[in-house]
Amino acid sequence: MTSQICIIIAIIAYLSVMIYVGISYSKKNTSADDFYLGGRKLGPLVTAMSAEASDMSSWLLMGLPGVAYLSGIADAGWTAIGLAIGTYVNWLIVSKRIRRYTSEIHALTIPDFFSKRYGDEKNILTCVSAIIIIIFFIPYTASGFAACGKLFNTLFGVNYMTALILSAAIIVLYCTLGGFLAVSTTDFIQGITMSVALIIVICYGVSTAGGLDNVIANAQALPGYLSMVQSYVPADGASKPYSALTIASTLAWGLGYFGMPHILLRFMAIEDEKKLAFSRRIATVWVVISMTIAVLIGVVGYSMSQASAIPVLEGSNSETIIVQIASVLSKHNILTALLAGIILAGILAATMSTADSQLLAAASSISQNLLQDFGKKKIDTKASVKIARITVVIISIVGVILASNPNSSVFEIVSFAWAGFGAAFGPVVLCALFWKRSNKWGALAGMITGGAMIFIWKYGIARLGGVFAIYELLPAFILATIVNIVVSLVTSAPSKDVTDTYEKVMNQ
């Protein structure tokens, strides 16, 4: 009982800080630019940490360790490598250009950027991209809510739906109050909390499992568990080859970064583009270290199960591994119980840092892009912010409904939504920033093709098996890029105003 009280105290303290940040920033939102981009005033450290914290989500502390626990390091490892490469390249080639371009054309959101970049006066690109954001962000947000529900259900035996609703309510509270600045500041805090949680878990886990040598010995006893070219199959206790095609499709996770609205918004919001190089270094180092530890936690967790320190976890229950480790840690004394509370706050941080960013991006898509830009509704600043806040609440309710099944897999939901954004927006962003000849028809065709192919490949073609059973992001991204280029070339070139703006931005 004492351990649970200490954990609850730590979690309440953490959540109180999040709500305080939301309240403190609520009075600073005097314009739509403040609510959606924080007035483009983010410092380099906050930009870096908030971008990566919003990126990693509960997937880092639940999904990735869970995959490593079940099947070894190949699947989780190649995914992590792809994401690390994608992180660095995105910061290197996209961040400065999109910051400069969106500032020049006064774009507040990604859909807004697409339409203004291509001179789309009817805002068709705005409408389509806003709809895509809503389609893929709702399940993404639901995955975060599901992670919170699993956490409290596993640890305290709290009803899953009760935990789900409570977690969603807290996220909605500070998100609707403080807007982008609150979200970015809390993401910065959450990134630090996640880092501390990972370090505590890996150190305690190795000790409890009997030391590093014992961890390695247990992992080596499973065929293919420690191999990067094989993976372990729990169902039959054997290994299977991890082919070059599978490696390529897993590395394709990195392509998703080019189309992530909540990450691109951080690039747009930094106060000075010259500080992006510093942000890039911080972000890349943090991603590499955090994902490496997350994968190792899965391997260490298996040895803890073998040592009977934690239960043997199967299926989606493997995603509760850090929760299980925290539960064991909390039973030693008051100090370790407080440390366990920090770990669990880290899981909440991972979940909230992504959910809040996604909610804000989805809200801006409806209030700013659909109603004002596409619908041509004249709405004053106060009304716009109010509509955005109402939208956050509505989307959260839908997310809670979608997450109501406690058996849903965080990893699977995130991988699908990640693929959707990567394929729909990634090629468009790259063409918009690096190819003057690209036009709105190519962007529109590529966007629709990428989004549609995610569904077609995952629920149709991939079921043929064999070479087709690959991560849907890779084929969808390639096809969307080809369609974007071909359609741009066979339709009329962009207007002189559009190309002049492109040249002006690129020559700055």
Side-chain angles (χ1 to χ4, degrees), residues 20-29 177-179 181-183 185-186 389:
Y20 171 77
V21 171
I23 294 173
S24 64
Y25 278 110
S26 62
K27 297 179 181 180
K28 298 183 180 182
N29 294 314
L177 283 174
L181 279 176
V183 166
T185 304
T186 53
R389 287 170 170 162

Side-chain angles (χ1 to χ4, degrees), residues 286-310:
W286 187 85
V287 164
V288 170
I289 293 175
S290 62
M291 287 195 298
T292 300
I293 295 176
V295 173
L296 291 177
I297 286 173
V299 177
V300 171
Y302 172 75
S303 283
M304 291 183 69
S305 291
Q306 294 303 299
S308 300
I310 62 173

Side-chain angles (χ1 to χ4, degrees), residues 301-335:
Y302 172 75
S303 283
M304 291 183 69
S305 291
Q306 294 303 299
S308 300
I310 62 173
V312 175
L313 305 173
E314 299 178 350
S316 64
N317 285 331
S318 66
E319 295 181 337
T320 66
I321 179 172
I322 291 184
V323 181
Q324 300 285 354
I325 294 173
S327 179
V328 175
L329 175 63
S330 70
K331 295 176 182 177
H332 293 290
N333 52 56
I334 293 177
L335 178 60

Side-chain angles (χ1 to χ4, degrees), residues 18 22 50 52 73 77 91 116 201 232 279 296 315 321 325 353 364 446:
M18 298 301 100
S50 68
E52 300 317 316
I73 66 172
W91 279 94
K116 289 180 177 178
V201 169
Y232 175 67
S279 297
L296 291 177
I321 179 172
I325 294 173
S353 61
S364 67

Side-chain angles (χ1 to χ4, degrees), residues 5 39 52 67 103 110 119 179 198 201 205-206 232 279 294 346 426 440 465 484:
I5 292 174
E52 300 317 316
V67 170
S103 179
I110 296 302
L198 285 168
V201 169
V206 170
Y232 175 67
S279 297
K440 63 182 178 182
N484 198 321

Side-chain angles (χ1 to χ4, degrees), residues 125-317:
L125 287 173
T126 296
C127 178
V128 173
S129 54
I131 291 172
I132 289 173
I133 284 176
I134 295 166
I135 290 173
F136 288 109
F137 260 155
I138 288 178
Y140 211 147
T141 303
S143 72
F145 294 163
C148 289
K150 286 184 178 183
L151 188 156
F152 288 109
N153 177 258
T154 302
L155 191 65
F156 302 118
V158 177
N159 178 270
Y160 175 78
M161 280 301 298
T162 301
L164 195 71
I165 294 170
L166 179 61
S167 302
I170 293 172
I171 295 172
V172 168
L173 180 60
Y174 74 76
C175 184
T176 54
L177 283 174
F180 187 84
L181 279 176
V183 166
S184 297
T185 304
T186 53
D187 285 353
F188 171 70
I189 298 170
Q190 288 156 351
I192 295 173
T193 307
M194 290 159 65
S195 302
V196 173
L198 285 168
I199 293 170
I200 294 173
V201 169
I202 193 66
C203 292
Y204 177 74
V206 170
S207 174
T208 306
L212 188 59
D213 290 342
N214 201 42
V215 170
I216 295 173
N218 284 328
Q220 287 177 334
L222 300 178
Y225 198 84
L226 291 182
S227 172
M228 290 295 283
V229 293
Q230 296 182 52
S231 63
Y232 175 67
V233 183
D236 52 21
S239 64
K240 67 176 182 179
Y242 211 79
S243 68
L245 181 60
T246 304
I247 291 173
S249 74
T250 308
L251 286 173
W253 272 80
L255 296 173
Y257 278 107
F258 302 124
M260 292 297 131
H262 53 301
I263 297 174
L264 297 174
L265 283 173
R266 265 55 182 192
F267 300 159
M268 294 162 58
I270 193 168
E271 61 182 354
D272 185 353
E273 67 176 55
K274 295 178 181 178
K275 297 179 180 179
L276 283 167
F278 175 73
S279 297
R280 180 180 72 241
R281 298 185 190 103
I282 296 296
T284 304
V285 169
W286 187 85
V287 164
V288 170
I289 293 175
S290 62
M291 287 195 298
T292 300
I293 295 176
V295 173
L296 291 177
I297 286 173
V299 177
V300 171
Y302 172 75
S303 283
M304 291 183 69
S305 291
Q306 294 303 299
S308 300
I310 62 173
V312 175
L313 305 173
E314 299 178 350
S316 64
N317 285 331

